[in-house]
Amino acid sequence: MRHPDLEIDLLRAFVAVAETGSFTAAADVVHRSQSAVSQKVLRLEEILGRRVFERTSRTLGLTPDGERLLVAARQMLEFNDKLMREWREPPASGTLRLGVSEDFIPGQLPKLLARFGRLYPGVHIDLMTGLSCTLLEAYDANRLDAVIAKRSGAHPRGRVIWREPLVWLASARYELDFTRPARLVMLAPPCSYREMMIAALDSVRREWTAACTASSLTGVQAAVAGGLGVTLLGRSFLQEGMQILRAPDLWPALPMTEVSVLGEERAADLVQPLITFLGESLALRDEACLAA
C-alpha cells in the first residue's frame, strides 16, 4: 500500500512551531500567516493520523508522537536544504581560518559548527577560539580569514549577527549580603565585561572586591558556579548550578551585548555561506528565546 507523502513545507512549519513554542513566532520564521501555519500543522496531523501538539488556551507543547517526529523532521529538513544548496549554489570549498569568541552562545556553538560541517562538507575549518581581543589581534595580523567576536569600544567593528542581554550571574546557593562588598569574579584587564561590571556597581555606589581573576570565560563560569562570587556575562552563559540575580537597586540593569562578524571581504566565497547559515540558525534561536 502506498502511503501519502510528507510535504517539506508542512514539516518546516511544524519544526518552527516546536522550536519557537508559538504559532505567531513560527509564522515570522517561515514567512507565512499564523493561520497558514496552523493549517499546515493540522494537515500534517491529518496525514500522520496523530496529534503532534497538546494545545490549551495558555500552553503549547509537543505530544510524545510530536517529540518523535521532531527528530525525524529536523533530519529531513537538513537533508532537503543540503540537497538544494548542492544543486542551486556553487559548492563552497577550501580552508576557512575562523576565529570564534568564547562569548558566542557557548552551549550551542558545537551543534552549529557540526551542522555547518554537514551542510558544507567541502569547507575545512581551521578553528581558533579565545577572547575577542586576542582573535581581533590575529585577524589584524592576517592569521585569520574571519572572526566572530564581541562588539565593543568607541569604534565597533563588523556586522552584528547576535544580540543578548547581559545579566548578573551567581551560584544557585549564593545568598545576598548587602552589608559586605560584592565579591566579583572577573577576567584580567583589558576586558569589557570587567569594565562594565565595575562601572555598573560604581553607578549605584556599591562596594566590591575581586574574589577571583580568571584567564578564560570557562574559568569564570567555574568560579561562579563554585560559589566564589558574582560576575557579569551574557544570558547564554547561565548553566546548571547558577542563577540570575534580580535586585535592580544594588545589581543595576545592564545593556545588551553584541557579537559581530568580520571578514566578509577577505574570503567572501567561504565566509558568506557561514554568515548565511548563522543568520538562519540564529533567527530560529532568537524566536525560541522570545517565545520562552
Side-chain angles (χ1 to χ4, degrees):
M1 182 179 67
R2 186 180 184 278
H3 295 290
D5 295 330
L6 278 177
E7 300 168 28
I8 290 295
D9 65 326
L10 303 185
L11 293 176
R12 201 176 296 281
F14 161 70
V15 170
V17 174
E19 291 183 339
T20 63
S22 160
F23 281 90
T24 302
D28 292 334
V29 172
V30 299
H31 307 293
R32 296 289 187 272
S33 67
Q34 180 179 340
S35 60
V37 172
S38 180
Q39 287 299 316
K40 289 179 184 297
V41 171
L42 289 173
R43 174 59 180 156
L44 180 63
E45 290 181 324
E46 180 182 322
I47 292 173
L48 295 173
R50 309 280 182 90
R51 293 183 63 190
V52 295
F53 288 112
E54 291 286 359
R55 307 173 182 83
T56 70
S57 59
R58 293 187 177 183
T59 62
L60 175 72
L62 289 167
T63 65
D65 287 327
E67 292 174 349
R68 289 174 52 215
L69 177 62
L70 183 59
V71 175
R74 283 173 171 159
Q75 294 172 343
M76 292 176 69
L77 290 177
E78 184 172 310
F79 180 81
N80 174 83
D81 295 347
K82 179 176 181 293
L83 181 65
M84 293 305 296
R85 283 189 175 95
E86 289 175 352
W87 281 89
R88 301 188 65 175
E89 299 176 7
S93 62
T95 296
L96 176 63
R97 299 176 301 169
L98 176 64
V100 180
S101 170
E102 292 181 329
D103 306 274
F104 187 58
I105 48 175
Q108 298 295 318
L109 181 59
K111 297 177 183 178
L112 286 175
L113 290 176
R115 183 165 178 261
F116 179 79
R118 292 193 297 271
L119 292 173
Y120 297 96
V123 177
H124 172 261
I125 295 181
D126 189 354
L127 182 64
M128 176 181 179
T129 60
L131 300 177
S132 293
C133 57
T134 303
L135 299 177
L136 291 173
E137 288 176 2
Y139 178 78
D140 291 337
N142 204 30
R143 297 198 302 274
L144 291 171
D145 300 315
V147 166
I148 297 172
K150 182 154 59 70
R151 204 168 190 248
S152 61
H155 303 287
R157 305 169 64 183
R159 178 154 66 93
V160 175
I161 60 170
W162 171 251
R163 291 182 177 89
E164 71 170 339
L166 292 169
V167 295
W168 297 102
L169 294 176
S171 164
R173 302 180 302 279
Y174 182 83
E175 295 182 2
L176 295 173
D177 183 358
F178 295 124
T179 66
R180 303 176 61 186
R183 293 174 56 80
L184 303 182
V185 176
M186 53 179 62
L187 292 166
C191 170
S192 58
Y193 286 131
R194 180 189 182 105
E195 293 167 1
M196 283 189 286
M197 189 161 28
I198 294 172
L201 293 178
D202 286 349
S203 71
V204 294
R205 301 185 182 279
R206 178 89 157 92
E207 294 185 15
W208 59 271
T209 183
C212 175
T213 301
S215 61
S216 69
L217 289 171
T218 302
V220 169
Q221 282 181 290
V224 170
L228 295 186
V230 176
T231 199
L232 178 157
L233 286 174
R235 187 172 58 186
S236 60
F237 281 88
L238 179 66
Q239 61 183 23
E240 187 176 354
M242 296 168 64
Q243 64 169 312
I244 296 176
L245 297 179
R246 307 180 191 277
D249 293 337
L250 294 171
W251 298 107
L254 300 166
M256 300 286 283
T257 185
E258 296 180 330
V259 172
S260 61
V261 61
L262 290 80
E264 293 181 78
E265 72 291 342
R266 186 171 289 186
D269 57 333
L270 295 178
V271 175
Q272 195 54 53
L274 176 68
I275 293 174
T276 300
F277 165 76
L278 289 176
E280 294 171 352
S281 301
L282 295 177
L284 280 174
R285 193 176 189 277
D286 275 336
E287 295 290 353
C289 289
L290 288 171

